[in-house]
Amino acid sequence: MARASMLLVEDDAALAELLIYHFKREDFDVAHTPDGEEALLLAKEKAPDIVLLDWMVEGLSGIEVCRRLRRMTETQNVPIIMLTARGEEEDRIRGLETGADDYVTKPFSPRELVARVSAVLRRVRPALAGEALTYDDIEMDTVGHKVRRSGEVVPLGPTEFRLLKHFLEHPGWVFSRERLLDAVWGHDSDIESRTVDVHIRRLRKAINIGNRPDLIRTVRSAGYSLDSGT
């Protein structure tokens, strides 16, 4: 699996240390906080690939954190796995209805949790499971640095390649210009946000050759998304 980022929200220091050890051993990039409010700030600053969220944490409850993560544009599609000592059916249903994708009851095996997290990521972000990214009729070989659409090679410049790669890793997600600048050009870039529009136009021109359907959707007042509209 390619390196994935995780936000761990857990106020049991011993358990958090154990989970950080196991997930880092599996090459996860783990950010940890015991506080619900801080978790929301961290997620907004940089959306993780997955959130491990304890039901009972400092500050906001895990349920409220989950609810707010689902309302935030940056994290509305990020998978959330809740960790809790609550095993009753009503509590499990409440967690899932709030927006959690999975529910793990304590005590649990760290190895099993790693396997379940990996399974969720493979389902929601296949890009993390290999070196080939695909969406609709677009295929990208990240190792060979090649892109094809409907089997035909699409020549892309380095920036357009990185831009398309980011979209392919997050199909359906809407990214503002500022978030695309951070993801594709880097946090320290001095490039103006409108530069993103220029590269989006170049990317569209390259992948839409031959009057193929436009897969880059412009979301008014929000940004851009890789979306077939189906």
Side-chain angles (χ1 to χ4, degrees), residues 165-181:
K165 180 174 181 289
H166 187 67
F167 280 129
L168 287 169
E169 289 175 337
H170 306 83
W173 291 30
V174 178
F175 293 100
S176 66
R177 295 181 182 90
E178 289 72 22
R179 291 196 64 205
L180 288 173
L181 278 175

Side-chain angles (χ1 to χ4, degrees), residues 54-167:
D54 197 313
W55 185 295
M56 300 296 293
V57 291
E58 298 173 10
L60 292 176
S61 69
I63 281 288
E64 183 59 25
V65 173
C66 181
R67 182 178 291 110
R68 295 193 188 186
L69 287 172
R70 283 290 170 256
R71 291 175 180 170
M72 290 164 50
T73 302
E74 296 86 352
T75 55
Q76 61 185 4
N77 295 313
V78 172
I80 300 171
I81 296 181
M82 296 203 72
L83 309 176
T84 181
R86 297 169 176 260
E88 292 81 3
E89 181 182 16
E90 183 177 339
D91 290 325
R92 292 198 302 270
I93 292 173
R94 183 183 173 196
L96 295 172
E97 287 181 342
T98 303
D101 296 273
D102 202 354
Y103 191 102
V104 179
T105 304
K106 300 176 182 178
F108 52 79
S109 159
R111 290 182 60 191
E112 179 184 354
L113 182 59
V114 170
R116 290 176 74 163
V117 166
S118 299
V120 170
L121 285 174
R122 281 195 299 270
R123 185 174 71 247
V124 301
R125 279 193 59 189
L128 292 170
E131 298 164 341
L133 307 179
T134 61
Y135 183 79
D136 202 276
D137 59 348
I138 297 177
E139 303 171 46
M140 172 180 283
D141 177 355
T142 61
V143 176
H145 215 267
K146 296 178 181 178
V147 175
R148 295 177 183 273
R149 185 161 189 189
S150 297
E152 296 184 21
V153 175
V154 178
L156 293 178
T159 301
E160 285 71 42
F161 185 91
R162 293 196 304 272
L163 190 58
L164 179 60
K165 180 174 181 289
H166 187 67
F167 280 129

Side-chain angles (χ1 to χ4, degrees), residues 29-48:
D29 181 11
V30 184
H32 167 246
T33 178
D35 183 86
E37 292 279 7
E38 186 179 17
L40 293 173
L41 292 174
L42 291 172
K44 187 174 182 63
E45 181 180 310
K46 184 179 181 182

